[in-house]
Structures are given as structure tokens and as C-alpha cells.
Amino acid sequence: MFKIGDYIAHPMHGAGVIESIVTKKINGAQRDYYVLKLPVGDMVVMVPVVGCEDIGVRSIISRNEAENVFKAFSALEISMTQNWNKRYRENMDKIKSGNLIDVAAVVKGLMCRDNERGLSTGERKMLHSAKQILISELVIAADMDYDGVEKRLCAALEEG
């Protein structure tokens, strides 16, 4: 169980700090929720305490692991199918996995695709979400600001 002040990562929303733990009655059942404040977009997410590990909530990566993500970004191999429906599903599965390298691969793949031929509205939204998830954790783990992380990722993309 996490406690107030812990930094955690939610696979679909990104990383943030637990501001409080509240008890809410929803559909007749009383449950405890982590109130997660995300640094990117000033969003607040309520995550049920019971079963949070089942949905992929975890502690954020270390500073060294964040550096490894930056280093790995330019070398990530990306192969995306031409079928947009299959590509969308594969990317969504990678995002839901909660694995930051998989999320980075989605970000890199969609950024490259956007530079080459543009993205559909759905893939543009996916790129935005994947970047938020990736950058929110790197902001906390590497103790950087949003723009600094984004610039490092763009520089790594140009290297690769």
C-alpha cells in the first residue's frame, strides 16, 4: 500500500504524487481511494486502493532508470504495421502495459509517423496521451520541467 506523499505511476494517466487518501461511497460500497495529483495538466485522479496493483499502478522509476529511458529513446526500434486499426490496438496495448520503454516506443513511433506522413485524429490523441504518460514520469524521476524533458526526447529522436 502506498502512503500520502508517495510518487506513483498510473498506466493510463501518468505519474503523480498521492495528495490524500479518501473514503467514498460509490454504488453502495465504501472504498478508499488515492487522490493522485499529476504534475502535467494539473489533473487529479482518484485511484481505488484495493486492486490498484492489478490495474498497473506502481512506484515511479528511479533517476538512473529515467536516464536509461532517455538513452534508449534514440535507439528504440520501431516497426508499425500499415493497417491503422491494428497499429492503434498494438500501441494501446503498449500504453496499457505500464512499461515506460513500451510507452516511449509508442511516442517515438507516432512522432516519426507524424513527421513522415501525418497522423489521424485518433493517433494524434494517442500521441498526446502517450507523451503525457511518458513525460509526467520523467519530469518527476529526472527532476526536470516538462519543456526540458520534451526537448531531450526531441533531441534523442533526431539522433536516432
Side-chain angles (χ1 to χ4, degrees):
M1 186 164 156
F2 300 108
K3 60 187 183 314
I4 295 171
D6 285 352
Y7 289 101
I8 61 173
H10 187 287
M12 296 304 292
H13 298 293
V17 63
I18 298 175
E19 283 196 328
S20 62
I21 301 172
V22 298
T23 303
K24 293 265 186 190
K25 188 173 187 177
I26 299 176
N27 293 334
Q30 207 158 353
R31 294 184 182 178
D32 290 336
Y33 292 87
Y34 295 121
V35 178
L36 182 63
K37 174 99 167 74
L38 305 176
V40 178
D42 282 335
M43 190 164 70
V44 175
V45 177
M46 291 180 59
V47 181
V49 171
V50 175
C52 71
E53 286 87 9
D54 296 339
I55 60 172
V57 174
R58 59 175 172 72
S59 296
I60 65 159
I61 62 174
S62 68
R63 182 182 290 262
N64 286 341
E65 290 169 313
E67 283 303 317
N68 290 339
V69 170
F70 284 121
K71 290 174 188 169
F73 192 76
S74 62
L76 282 174
E77 291 291 323
I78 51 168
S79 62
M80 293 196 170
T81 180
Q82 293 301 310
N83 180 314
W84 73 268
N85 195 17
K86 186 176 180 195
R87 184 174 63 243
Y88 188 88
R89 281 194 315 271
E90 288 171 353
N91 284 339
M92 189 56 76
D93 288 343
K94 287 179 183 177
I95 292 170
K96 286 180 182 177
S97 76
N99 181 317
L100 214 54
I101 294 292
D102 286 348
V103 176
V106 171
V107 170
K108 182 177 180 180
L110 290 175
M111 286 173 77
C112 289
R113 188 166 184 82
D114 191 25
N115 289 339
E116 291 169 9
R117 60 179 66 140
L119 296 174
S120 67
T121 303
E123 285 187 315
R124 189 167 309 289
K125 287 180 182 176
M126 178 180 278
L127 173 58
H128 178 73
S129 295
K131 279 177 82 174
Q132 295 286 87
I133 292 166
L134 177 63
I135 292 174
S136 69
E137 189 158 358
L138 292 175
V139 161
I140 295 169
D143 194 23
M144 296 175 68
D145 66 359
Y146 187 94
D147 290 335
V149 170
E150 193 168 37
K151 285 176 185 166
R152 274 192 79 179
L153 292 175
C154 288
L157 182 65
E158 290 173 13
E159 286 175 21

